[in-house]
Amino acid sequence: MIKRRHWALAAAPLALALLAATGCESTPGPWAKPTAAPSTSLARVCAEPVAGPAKAPAGAVTVDPAVAGDLATKTKNSPPNTTFWLRPGTHRLEPDRYAQVIPKEGDVYLGAPGAVLDGRKTNQYAFGGTAPDVTIRYLTVQGFVAPHDEGVVNHDSADGWVIEHATIQNNSGAGLMAGDRQQVRASCLRDNGQYGMNAYKTGGRVSDLVVEGNEITGNNTGDWERRRPGCGCTGGIKFWAVNRADVRGNWVHDNRGTGLWADTNNNDFLIEDNVLEANDGAALIYETSYNAIIRNNTMRRNNWVEGRKYADRGDNFPFATIYLSESGGEPRIPARTDKIEIYRNVLENNWSGITLWENADRFCNSPANTSSGDCTLLVKNTHRCAQPAIATAPLYADCRWKTQRVDIHGNRFVLDKSVVKCTAKCDRMAVLANYGTYPDWSPYKGEQVAEAITRKQHNRWHDNVYVGPWKFIAHDPSQVLDFGKWQGTPYRQDTGSTFRPQAGG
């Protein structure tokens, strides 16, 4: 599972031709009205946790915090479908790094008020094994030291787990992993070393994932992007090869890096009614993936750290709050939509807005494909993407992850540079690609991918509201446009949108 972030352009940086934004305004379209702030309340789960049962439910096995390993032992000695009630206090496992709880099918774990399972920086995993349909409620899990890319709760990505009203905090690695039909609800995923959750299953895909009403904050305390530059291995939540996910009503904030990051062959995501704010990096990255609905979210003060860092070093790439990298709608892959639809969101005082990007050198079987060994969902055999077949239909189209069929409408974009404390490069909306150069046998050399993403792949902005000094980039970083040129020939973007250049006006 070797991944690297691929923001930078492969081509040499192009000189920016900055143009001043104009004050032109067009008639609002039918989607202008819904750009009021979504009615999304914050999921203050970490500060306001729901307490578990103060007494053991009828038939439950009581677990004693005074006996080290009592939870693991009683789980081992009980039949499937047992309910365990953890008394108040700090529960421990045996002092062996591999000591963990191995649930049986249908087991339920309930924490009493004040019940904590603490790994004491000794145990690597809290709950593992492959038993399906396990439930964990009202329990705090902390102090475990899972290795890089591994998780503490549901370590083996078993199916059908329910994590609810739990606090998973101060662990190394990921707070939890994910399996099919997993539900993570009303839980606090806080201050974990790498991810709050790593939705990844070794050797397979995760299907039908629900992430609802959680607070996801302060994750990546290990600062892994600094320790392994370009690893792309951090975030509040990272999704890998997930088919059908509902991510709704979460408060994703103050993570060191990206808030939500879907990377490599994800499909059919519904991301709605979330508040994503004050994350060091992008609020949302959707990368080499397909078919998503992103609606009714509030995103504010994201990307201030990473956006400023790259701007200060002279990078002219439009680092964005919503970053779509080689991702688009694909009707041949079943989902609830055949587009990426981005609508009725409010983006306020972030470092830039939305970037649609394709790396012309990144395709199936290319050495520049940082999703090592993965091919698109349209080509099962990676080795088919080679000369001479890749230069002809259908592989010419199907070997490339494409940013296509993206529909951006009914959103409100607000930027006040005095709030963001920036003078340039924080005001971008973009659709672009690099000049294809690599490898030698690539059929995508030159400007053909930049031409495709900009004019031929049905990517549209329309009926949005802009407040502030926004600029627009089309084709490549040198094409920095004001609103009038963005709306005019040949780009014809943002029909029906309104533009007010002064945030305070």
Side-chain angles (χ1 to χ4, degrees), residues 257-492:
T258 302
L260 301 174
W261 191 341
D263 185 356
T264 309
N265 287 339
N266 298 278
N267 175 55
D268 196 5
F269 271 52
L270 174 61
I271 301 170
E272 66 177 354
D273 298 325
N274 302 285
V275 176
L276 301 100
E277 62 182 339
N279 297 290
D280 285 1
L284 171 64
I285 299 177
Y286 207 69
E287 180 176 1
T288 54
S289 294
Y290 302 89
N291 301 324
I293 297 169
I294 302 165
R295 67 186 180 195
N296 299 333
N297 301 286
T298 299
M299 304 182 187
R300 53 200 178 207
R301 302 189 308 280
N302 295 286
N303 206 27
W304 285 16
V305 174
E306 293 190 4
R308 181 172 284 108
K309 177 177 68 174
Y310 285 99
D312 288 348
R313 65 172 63 164
D315 196 321
N316 65 351
F317 188 85
F319 293 89
T321 293
I322 300 177
Y323 177 48
L324 269 56
S325 176
E326 298 92 19
S327 294
E330 177 49 72
R332 290 173 290 174
I333 299 174
R336 288 166 284 187
T337 180
D338 60 4
K339 302 178 180 179
I340 292 184
E341 303 178 74
I342 304 174
Y343 64 96
R344 291 204 299 263
N345 303 284
V346 172
L347 279 74
E348 182 176 0
N349 290 327
N350 302 284
W351 191 280
S352 289
I354 298 175
T355 288
L356 310 187
W357 158 252
E358 275 194 48
N359 177 2
D361 300 328
R362 184 182 189 184
F363 54 90
C364 177
N365 208 30
S366 167
N369 175 24
T370 54
S371 297
S372 305
D374 289 294
C375 200
T376 69
L377 292 180
L378 300 173
V379 180
K380 293 183 179 179
N381 185 346
T382 301
H383 298 294
R384 291 177 62 206
C385 295
Q387 290 288 4
I390 193 173
T392 60
L395 294 181
Y396 177 81
D398 292 350
C399 289
R400 180 164 63 90
W401 289 275
K402 290 185 285 189
T403 302
Q404 64 178 7
R405 300 173 61 83
V406 180
D407 191 358
I408 301 167
H409 61 92
N411 304 285
R412 181 176 178 85
F413 302 105
V414 178
L415 176 64
D416 185 339
K417 288 187 175 181
S418 69
V419 173
V420 183
K421 293 181 171 57
C422 65
T423 57
K425 299 181 182 179
C426 63
D427 51 6
R428 308 301 167 89
M429 203 73 59
V431 52
L432 77 165
N434 61 312
Y435 190 91
T437 62
Y438 181 78
D440 290 342
W441 53 270
S442 170
Y444 310 114
K445 290 182 178 180
E447 296 185 353
Q448 54 187 305
V449 173
E451 284 292 312
I453 189 175
T454 306
R455 304 184 189 182
K456 300 176 182 178
Q457 291 180 181
H458 308 288
N459 297 314
R460 289 188 66 210
W461 279 257
H462 62 98
D463 300 302
N464 298 293
V465 172
Y466 295 90
V467 181
W470 291 96
K471 296 182 177 68
F472 304 86
I473 295 176
H475 189 276
D476 63 75
S478 70
Q479 303 297 320
V480 183
L481 313 171
D482 63 22
F483 193 60
K485 291 183 178 179
W486 174 247
Q487 284 192 312
T489 304
Y491 306 111
R492 299 190 177 278

Side-chain angles (χ1 to χ4, degrees), residues 3-24:
K3 309 287 179 182
R4 294 199 305 274
R5 181 178 310 196
H6 208 73
W7 292 91
L9 299 177
L14 300 169
L16 288 177
L18 293 173
L19 301 173
T22 65
C24 56

Side-chain angles (χ1 to χ4, degrees), residues 66-356:
V67 181
D70 196 39
L71 180 60
T73 299
K74 287 179 174 174
T75 296
K76 181 178 179 180
N77 294 334
S78 299
N81 300 300
T82 297
T83 295
F84 301 90
W85 179 71
L86 284 74
R87 290 182 181 274
T90 300
H91 296 253
R92 298 160 293 147
L93 300 174
E94 293 292 341
D96 179 281
R97 66 175 181 166
Y98 295 114
Q100 58 185 297
V101 181
I102 306 294
K104 296 183 176 72
E105 181 175 359
D107 281 351
V108 177
Y109 298 87
L110 303 176
V116 176
L117 179 60
D118 195 330
R120 297 171 296 159
K121 303 299 181 183
T122 299
N123 310 114
Q124 291 189 349
Y125 317 120
F127 294 90
T130 59
D133 304 325
V134 172
T135 298
I136 299 171
R137 290 192 175 105
Y138 312 114
L139 182 63
T140 294
V141 179
Q142 66 186 30
F144 288 81
V145 286
H148 187 260
D149 288 339
E150 298 186 36
V152 168
V153 175
N154 197 10
H155 169 262
D156 298 294
S157 301
D159 298 337
W161 284 38
V162 176
I163 315 297
E164 197 168 43
H165 301 299
T167 297
I168 302 175
Q169 64 184 9
N170 301 319
N171 303 287
S172 300
L176 67 155
M177 304 296 285
D180 291 352
R181 299 177 288 103
Q182 180 158 301
Q183 300 179 42
V184 184
R185 300 181 187 273
S187 292
C188 170
L189 310 181
R190 174 170 61 187
D191 297 338
N192 296 290
Q194 190 178 358
Y195 307 109
M197 180 170 71
N198 185 11
Y200 172 80
K201 179 180 285 192
T202 302
R205 295 175 64 79
V206 174
S207 298
D208 299 306
L209 178 63
V210 175
V211 182
E212 183 173 22
N214 305 284
E215 184 174 353
I216 302 156
T217 181
N219 295 290
N220 186 28
T221 58
D223 198 9
W224 280 98
E225 298 290 344
R226 181 187 59 80
R227 295 163 66 179
R228 297 187 183 181
C231 71
C233 60
T234 59
I237 298 181
K238 193 75 182 276
F239 304 88
W240 313 86
V242 174
N243 185 60
R244 193 175 178 95
D246 290 356
V247 184
R248 67 168 70 92
N250 303 285
W251 185 21
V252 185
H253 66 99
D254 294 286
N255 293 286
R256 178 178 285 181
T258 302
L260 301 174
W261 191 341
D263 185 356
T264 309
N265 287 339
N266 298 278
N267 175 55
D268 196 5
F269 271 52
L270 174 61
I271 301 170
E272 66 177 354
D273 298 325
N274 302 285
V275 176
L276 301 100
E277 62 182 339
N279 297 290
D280 285 1
L284 171 64
I285 299 177
Y286 207 69
E287 180 176 1
T288 54
S289 294
Y290 302 89
N291 301 324
I293 297 169
I294 302 165
R295 67 186 180 195
N296 299 333
N297 301 286
T298 299
M299 304 182 187
R300 53 200 178 207
R301 302 189 308 280
N302 295 286
N303 206 27
W304 285 16
V305 174
E306 293 190 4
R308 181 172 284 108
K309 177 177 68 174
Y310 285 99
D312 288 348
R313 65 172 63 164
D315 196 321
N316 65 351
F317 188 85
F319 293 89
T321 293
I322 300 177
Y323 177 48
L324 269 56
S325 176
E326 298 92 19
S327 294
E330 177 49 72
R332 290 173 290 174
I333 299 174
R336 288 166 284 187
T337 180
D338 60 4
K339 302 178 180 179
I340 292 184
E341 303 178 74
I342 304 174
Y343 64 96
R344 291 204 299 263
N345 303 284
V346 172
L347 279 74
E348 182 176 0
N349 290 327
N350 302 284
W351 191 280
S352 289
I354 298 175
T355 288
L356 310 187

